[in-house]
Amino acid sequence: MKTTALPSVNYTREKCICWIGDINNAWDLMMKQPLQKLLSLVKAVVPPTLILNPSPANLQPTRLALHVNNNNEDDKSSSSSSSSTCVYIASHSHVYKLQIPLTTPDCGSLINEGKESLLIPQHIHPTEDPVQLNRCPHRSQIQTITLAQSDTNDYLVLGTVDSYGHLIVSKLDLSGQDIDSLTYSVVPRDCGVGEGSWAGLCFSPSQWSMAVVARSFCKSIDIYDQDIHLRTLRTLWYPTSLNFIESLSNGNAGSVLAVSEGCQLSIWDIRMKENGGCVHRICGSPGDNIYAVSVAPNGNIAVGGAERSAIIYDPRRWASLSRWVSCSKYEITGLAFSSVNSDYLYVQGMDYEFVVTLIPYIAVARSFVEIGGTVKSHSRSGETQIGWGLSPGRDVVGGWCDSGSIFVADVVAKWT
């Protein structure tokens, strides 16, 4: 299908930009979608007595994970001030936990804005004293923290992996407290010999006990069933991000991985032996490395990186569905589909900004909607994100800057 790129057009405060195709059909389709409304934006500071200076991070901001505690569990869109967020951050070889409240403005008030629609967060203090978790005794710098919900959604699984591939998994209840019934550790196959590098972690959506660890310098992807090593996949380039593809028409959900390596997106079936398990590769422009991969519940894959463009691929045809060019000021280091409405995609830049875009999944991209502007600190405009994440089951986005500030944004769906 032939597409024609139109110039950027500002229609409302939501800044509808980068239209491709028929603009009238795009507007009609967008009006049928619920808008993402920013409910609250708060900022908390990590006490210097807990972390004086965070350890240096890689380009990927994978050292933060969070989940929401709410007294009204049945109403995920509840704006009760009793809601709070458990934020887990990693510095050096330790994991810390902070309880940050989600203060919600009254219905008549608005989110504070500064110059150029810059959002001003509310300064708050953690409801509880930050603590250091003793269940993650790593010996080298932690590279990734991941939170996953169990199959029955009655507890959480916290996984951490350090720069040498040492994996530790703990079981938490929904309030974030440790459950002593399950904690296991897995030592890498090479016993951590060699140089440390970035390491990524993800859990299978259909079987939480299956964990996958990617190690950049080793060009390897190790697959575990709890503490049992199942298989090692060998990549061509240094892996930078990975995620399971949740929904496929052929019933392979939970066994297919999407991995970014260099400027390529590679697809792996962990059950296959041909070609080392690699079933498909999508090559980008040489030098434009991919740093982030996210998978929607319907199986669509979003990638972003040095090109500063978010691209959506259809796994049924391995064709590009949508492309949002120059959506970030700097390299894209984080992507996440909305937990409430997978037609929305959160994009995290390398510096201090994140945006959310509406992506109708049709033959070509019809519209991209940026709402909420950017999020950054007042005092230091050059802050860099060393941790970023989205809460499972609810659109609460968190970011941790190298200055020690933690931003938490609560976003809900709003029908117009």
Side-chain angles (χ1 to χ4, degrees):
M1 180 178 294
K2 184 178 180 180
T3 62
T4 303
L6 300 181
S8 300
V9 181
N10 291 331
Y11 282 92
T12 63
R13 179 179 175 278
E14 279 75 19
K15 301 180 184 178
C16 306
I17 62 176
C18 298
W19 295 86
I20 303 178
D22 185 359
I23 195 169
N24 293 324
N25 291 342
W27 181 263
D28 294 339
L29 184 59
M30 188 193 71
M31 289 296 100
K32 298 178 182 179
Q33 297 288 337
L35 295 179
Q36 298 291 85
K37 176 186 176 182
L38 182 62
L39 203 60
S40 66
L41 175 61
V42 299
K43 173 185 176 181
V45 178
V46 180
T49 55
L50 187 70
I51 304 177
L52 181 58
N53 294 306
S55 58
N58 281 278
L59 198 61
Q60 303 92 323
T62 53
R63 299 196 308 182
L64 179 144
L66 73 163
H67 71 89
V68 178
N69 296 325
N70 197 328
N71 291 342
N72 188 359
E73 297 294 340
D74 297 331
D75 185 7
K76 294 182 180 181
S77 63
S78 173
S79 60
S80 172
S81 60
S82 62
S83 299
S84 62
T85 304
C86 282
V87 180
Y88 300 88
I89 56 177
S91 180
H92 300 283
S93 59
H94 306 294
V95 176
Y96 305 91
K97 173 188 171 184
L98 295 89
Q99 191 87 8
I100 299 178
L102 296 175
T103 57
T104 304
D106 296 334
C107 297
S109 62
L110 298 175
I111 300 296
N112 297 325
E113 293 186 1
K115 295 181 179 180
E116 300 180 355
S117 299
L118 179 67
L119 302 180
I120 301 175
Q122 301 177 18
H123 290 256
I124 60 172
H125 298 281
T127 56
E128 300 177 1
D129 292 335
V131 296
Q132 175 182 329
L133 298 184
N134 297 322
R135 305 298 296 278
C136 307
H138 289 274
R139 295 185 177 180
S140 62
Q141 181 177 346
I142 296 175
Q143 297 293 325
T144 298
I145 303 178
T146 300
L147 269 178
Q149 288 184 334
S150 64
D151 302 335
T152 56
N153 294 328
D154 55 354
Y155 58 88
L156 299 170
V157 178
L158 175 67
T160 57
V161 61
D162 61 24
S163 57
Y164 292 95
H166 183 199
L167 170 66
I168 298 178
V169 177
S170 302
K171 187 176 179 182
L172 309 176
D173 61 18
L174 295 180
S175 64
Q177 300 297 324
D178 288 337
I179 299 177
D180 295 333
S181 59
L182 177 62
T183 296
Y184 63 89
S185 173
V186 181
V187 179
R189 301 283 289 177
D190 58 3
C191 299
V193 176
E195 185 177 359
S197 62
W198 177 84
L201 170 66
C202 70
F203 292 98
S204 171
S206 60
Q207 184 181 359
W208 70 264
S209 61
M210 180 176 292
V212 179
V213 175
R215 300 173 63 189
S216 181
F217 283 177
C218 295
K219 297 182 182 179
S220 66
I221 299 174
D222 294 307
I223 304 168
Y224 301 96
D225 186 358
Q226 292 195 13
D227 56 350
I228 302 175
H229 182 268
L230 299 180
R231 186 178 181 183
T232 298
L233 307 176
R234 299 293 179 181
T235 60
L236 297 179
W237 303 96
Y238 301 121
T240 55
S241 182
L242 75 164
N243 216 323
F244 274 97
I245 301 179
E246 298 183 21
S247 176
L248 289 175
S249 57
N250 56 8
N252 290 336
S255 63
V256 179
L257 278 171
V259 180
S260 61
E261 43 177 306
C263 61
Q264 300 181 5
L265 171 66
S266 57
I267 310 299
W268 304 77
D269 192 333
I270 62 177
R271 304 171 304 177
M272 292 184 57
K273 292 186 177 181
E274 293 80 3
N275 297 325
C278 183
V279 297
H280 194 81
R281 286 185 179 272
I282 301 175
C283 299
S285 302
D288 290 336
N289 291 342
I290 300 173
Y291 300 125
V293 173
S294 181
V295 179
N298 61 359
N300 289 343
I301 305 171
V303 299
E307 192 180 3
R308 300 186 297 115
S309 300
I311 307 173
I312 312 297
Y313 290 104
D314 183 358
R316 296 168 297 182
R317 299 176 297 161
W318 300 120
S320 169
L321 287 178
S322 309
R323 182 185 295 266
W324 189 15
V325 181
S326 300
C327 60
S328 178
K329 185 177 180 180
Y330 297 102
E331 291 91 337
I332 296 175
T333 56
L335 291 171
F337 282 94
S338 169
S339 302
V340 178
N341 184 357
S342 59
D343 287 338
Y344 284 90
L345 177 70
Y346 292 92
V347 180
Q348 167 64 45
M350 187 180 68
D351 55 349
Y352 48 75
E353 64 178 352
F354 83 90
V355 296
V356 55
T357 175
L358 170 66
I359 306 178
Y361 297 127
I362 49 181
V364 294
R366 294 301 187 187
S367 67
F368 293 91
V369 179
E370 174 188 3
I371 67 174
T374 61
V375 177
K376 71 176 182 180
S377 171
H378 303 164
S379 58
R380 302 182 183 180
S381 59
E383 288 182 323
T384 301
Q385 296 282 356
I386 58 178
W388 183 81
L390 179 69
S391 173
R394 179 170 168 180
D395 280 12
V396 175
V397 186
W400 179 32
C401 300
D402 54 5
S403 65
S405 300
I406 296 179
F407 296 88
V408 179
D410 188 5
V411 185
V412 296
K414 176 185 177 183
W415 290 92
T416 58

